[in-house]
Amino acid sequence: MKKADLLLVMGTSLMVGPVNMIPDMVPKSCPRVLLNRELVGSFLKRGGVQTRRKNYDKTGKDTFCAGDCDENIRILCNLLDWEEELDELNSSTRLIPPKARK
């Protein structure tokens, strides 16, 4: 984690340890992106909550992308021209309901 260039955190409450500590394991110089419905964990603005990034709005190292995680990933993949690969991965890993297997 100390050599990370970018950290993506997606769709989580960051309430359960030890996973909730991962966003704070990267160097302060590492940009962190939270794709989630709400600000959570150390991504929260300082308002009585102690965070390692005390100037959330000013550092430029944290980005909060509010909304549905799946929709935000689709937008990101579209921007990177990865939509075809995303669709292929989605279709190859889709779970088939037990009744449909017959």
Side-chain angles (χ1 to χ4, degrees), residues 2-102:
K2 293 181 192 242
K3 294 183 179 182
D5 294 320
L6 173 69
L7 178 71
L8 297 175
V9 179
M10 300 179 274
T12 179
S13 66
L14 288 177
M15 295 294 287
V16 178
V19 174
N20 62 351
M21 293 185 275
I22 292 173
D24 295 320
M25 292 178 177
V26 297
K28 289 183 181 183
S29 61
C30 178
R32 306 183 313 166
V33 180
L34 174 65
L35 297 107
N36 208 24
R37 293 185 192 274
E38 57 197 22
L39 275 169
V40 294
S42 61
F43 287 88
L44 288 169
K45 293 180 182 177
R46 190 171 187 191
V49 177
Q50 295 294 322
T51 70
R52 79 182 186 112
R53 305 205 185 228
K54 294 182 173 122
N55 298 319
Y56 174 87
D57 292 289
K58 298 175 186 165
T59 65
K61 297 293 182 187
D62 284 350
T63 301
F64 175 53
C65 191
D68 181 76
C69 183
D70 291 344
E71 290 174 16
N72 285 327
I73 289 299
R74 179 150 305 275
I75 291 168
L76 177 62
C77 287
N78 180 279
L79 292 169
L80 296 169
D81 198 25
W82 293 350
E83 261 190 311
E84 188 175 322
E85 291 94 323
L86 177 66
D87 290 337
E88 288 172 8
L89 284 169
N90 278 343
S91 64
S92 70
T93 58
R94 193 152 302 204
L95 296 177
I96 302 169
K99 290 183 181 182
R101 291 185 196 158
K102 293 181 183 181

